[in-house]
Amino acid sequence: MTANYKLDAMLELRKYIWDQLASRNIFDENDYWSDNLNENIVPIIPVQQSAEMNQFLSGKKHIVYDKVGMSYEDNWLICCEQIMLTLYSTSISDINEIRNYLTDEFRRMDESARDINKWSGLSDKFKFHTIWVADISPTAPSEELQGFFAAEVILEIKYSRITDGQGRFL
């Protein structure tokens, strides 16, 4: 069986965070409709695409993410990464709301991972072991986006990819 190397834990986490933010009415999906694409844009975007997405996100709260692969532990089946989520909004209140949700969701470590593993939208190729808030920056005027405030939330995640009998990704 050939592995799908396009699968990524960050993308799975992104889907989960978006589902939770939208279902809690922290974000309104309808605010992110794109006539050009004829669909809603998920306003959680990789740092590499932030410039090209400005036309769709102009003046709207959104999240830009980046990840750092840390290392494997003694058990090479456990992947460790840090995910940096930069929250942008013209309203400090919006940033506080998003940051408070992320803190509440991911401060529970193993229980946070359990909730993602139970979520029906998760790929069956991943198992999250623990997720926690490693750092939160203060809210400040954004240096990148004029008129926006920004704050960072850094999550540390440990997860496994499902493997075959030789330890290779499925």
Side-chain angles (χ1 to χ4, degrees), residues 91-148:
S91 163
I92 290 176
S93 176
D94 285 346
I95 288 181
N96 288 340
E97 183 180 30
I98 298 165
R99 187 174 55 198
N100 289 339
Y101 160 72
L102 292 170
T103 300
D104 186 43
E105 182 68 45
F106 298 116
R107 66 185 166 81
R108 300 171 302 122
M109 303 176 95
D110 295 355
E111 287 80 8
S112 299
R114 181 200 61 217
D115 290 349
I116 294 175
N117 290 330
K118 287 182 178 179
W119 179 60
S120 64
L122 180 68
S123 166
D124 63 355
K125 303 292 187 240
F126 290 92
K127 178 176 179 169
F128 287 89
H129 301 290
T130 189
I131 302 174
W132 68 90
V133 178
D135 193 30
I136 299 174
S137 75
T139 302
S142 171
E143 295 177 11
E144 295 86 15
L145 298 174
Q146 190 71 29
F148 277 78

Side-chain angles (χ1 to χ4, degrees), residues 20-74:
Q20 299 302 304
L21 289 170
S23 68
R24 287 172 167 70
N25 297 316
I26 296 172
F27 278 78
D28 182 352
E29 295 176 85
N30 297 321
D31 288 345
Y32 299 91
W33 177 258
S34 167
D35 290 328
N36 295 350
L37 301 174
N38 203 30
E39 64 182 4
N40 286 332
I41 303 291
V42 175
I44 304 174
I45 58 172
V47 70
Q48 298 86 352
Q49 291 182 350
S50 59
E52 59 198 53
M53 295 300 285
N54 281 342
Q55 63 179 328
F56 301 114
L57 300 173
S58 179
K60 298 176 183 169
K61 62 185 172 185
H62 60 282
I63 301 170
V64 175
Y65 68 85
D66 200 2
K67 75 174 190 169
V68 176
M70 292 170 47
S71 67
Y72 285 86
E73 295 187 345
D74 294 341

